[in-house]
Each structure stands twice: as C-alpha cells, then as structure tokens.
Amino acid sequence: MLSLLRILLLAVHFVIASVIGLLIGLCRPFNPDNSRLCARVYGIPALRIMGLRQRIEADGVLNHQRPAIIVANHISNHDLFVFGQVVPVRTVSLGKTSLKWLPLFGQLYWLAGNVLVDRGNAVQARRAMETTTDTLQHKDMSLWVFAEGTRGHGKGLGPFKKGAFLMAINAGVPVVPVCANNYTRTMNLNRWVGGAVVMRALPPIPTTGMTADDVPELMQRCHAAMAECIEQLDREAEALLKQG
C-alpha cells in the first residue's frame, strides 16, 4: 500500500516538476543554469517521497572549477532524482535525441540547454561533439555525462563509452567522477525507510597534455576509481540502513 501511494505521489510530482521546469525554460530559454534548477525541482521532493536516507559528499563537484566533464554512474530511471541535487551551476547534460519527444520533460530538457545526440547518425553525433567541445572551451560551462550509456540496474559499473573522455581531452578540461551506490539493490518503497543513497565526488582527473591516444588510459583510470568507490558506497549504504 505504501509503495502504491509513493508511486502515485511520484507521478503527480513528476508532472508538476515538469511544468515548473518548462516554465523556467520558457522564461529563460537555453540558459546554462536551467538544468541545475530543474534538477533540484525534480530531485529534492522526490527523494523525500521515496523515503530514502541520504549521505552526500559532493563538495568536489558542486565547487569544482569550470569547465569540466562530470562522469556519473548510471543506475536506473530514478537517477534524475538521485543526482538532481548535486548538479553544479552552469552544467548541461548529454542525452539521446529521442528524449525530446517525451511530453513536458523532453521540451524542458531541450529548453534547459542540454545537448541532444542522435547516436544512430555518426555525422550528426560528431558535429554535436565538436560543438560541445567548443562550448567547454569558450563558454564557462560543464557537461554531465553517464559514460556507460545505459542503466546498470544495480548490477555494478558497466564499461564506458569513449565520447566523454575524448571531449575532455580535446577541450583540455578535467574529468570529475561522481559516484552513487547501487541504491536499487536496497530500495523497497513498501518500507517507511525506502532505501539509502550515498554519493561521493572524487578528485578531478586532469587531461592537460593528453591526446586521443590517451583516451583508453583515461577511461581505465576513471573506471577503476569509480568502481572502487561504488563498492565502498554500497557498504556504507547498508550500514546507513541499519542505523536506527
């Protein structure tokens, strides 16, 4: 019963948050700080509705020096809520072109200045990457990327796609890893405490002096650091749930 009530409340909240986000986008279209504001509107109330305990150590991403590529692990559709509260100022995200067809959310995602990429069109995807690289270099903005490209559904950190790391090297900006525990493993919306979310931002990984040949090494370094961190966060989340 509690789970059903929460799902209904989340659905109502999603619609209301989408309308608010759309109004923000219409009032100041393509402003690079729209994504942060919309993420807060979605994330903060949703986590309260879901009853998730939280521990967040995100100063490293909230106070990072722009520009940067922010790389986070992709767990589930609830990532919009979970990571929403740690999106820093002047940060947009990289998403699939198909997102723009989602009612309300797709339109606000576009108006928020996020980058839409058609992964099935190599020419268009390359142009989008080039435009994003130029933006990182000259417009004091950061880019949020789920480098796995697909949701892990609590199974752990998947392999990375190279696009984000190539952009970081081409733009000469650091990679800032942001990790969350595999919260879907412990999430049960039928309990009063619906689960636990533990997030941590890792130290930036510089790319100065790197070339395209260094992409595999950069990916491996970032993946290893995040995988180790996520394992630790999973243990911390279990301990957090055991607290009275």
Side-chain angles (χ1 to χ4, degrees), residues 179-235:
C179 305
N181 67 301
N182 291 290
Y183 58 86
T184 54
R185 293 179 181 176
T186 60
M187 193 166 69
N188 184 345
L189 298 184
N190 262 323
R191 299 181 306 206
W192 184 251
V193 177
V197 170
V198 185
M199 270 188 285
R200 183 167 298 140
L202 300 180
I205 303 173
T207 64
T208 304
M210 290 186 177
T211 68
D213 292 337
D214 297 306
V215 167
E217 179 184 351
L218 178 61
M219 291 172 63
Q220 192 279 329
R221 180 179 174 186
C222 183
H223 193 282
M226 290 181 67
E228 180 180 359
C229 179
I230 292 166
E231 288 184 8
Q232 175 63 31
L233 297 182
D234 284 340
R235 292 191 291 269

Side-chain angles (χ1 to χ4, degrees), residues 103-155:
L104 291 178
F105 178 80
Q107 290 74 55
L108 79 86
Y109 188 83
W110 173 64
L111 286 169
N114 294 294
V115 181
L116 294 168
V117 178
D118 182 358
R119 293 174 181 168
N121 186 326
V123 174
Q124 192 274 342
R126 189 179 306 110
R127 287 175 181 169
M129 295 293 184
E130 291 172 354
T131 300
T132 303
T133 299
D134 181 71
T135 297
L136 287 167
Q137 290 176 318
H138 302 113
K139 296 187 178 180
D140 190 32
M141 291 166 55
S142 293
L143 182 69
W144 185 292
V145 179
F146 291 110
E148 297 159 275
T150 187
R151 294 174 291 276
H153 298 292
K155 297 178 181 178

Side-chain angles (χ1 to χ4, degrees), residues 31-54:
N31 186 300
D33 207 32
N34 285 354
S35 290
R36 177 181 65 89
L37 296 177
C38 293
R40 299 293 193 278
V41 172
Y42 278 114
I44 294 174
L47 292 181
R48 302 295 185 274
I49 292 172
M50 296 164 72
L52 300 182
R53 286 182 175 171
Q54 304 168 59

Side-chain angles (χ1 to χ4, degrees), residues 84-107:
Q85 57 195 320
V86 299
V87 175
V89 296
R90 295 185 65 83
T91 298
V92 297
S93 66
L94 191 66
K96 297 180 292 186
T97 304
S98 57
L99 286 175
K100 69 181 180 182
W101 301 114
L102 294 177
L104 291 178
F105 178 80
Q107 290 74 55

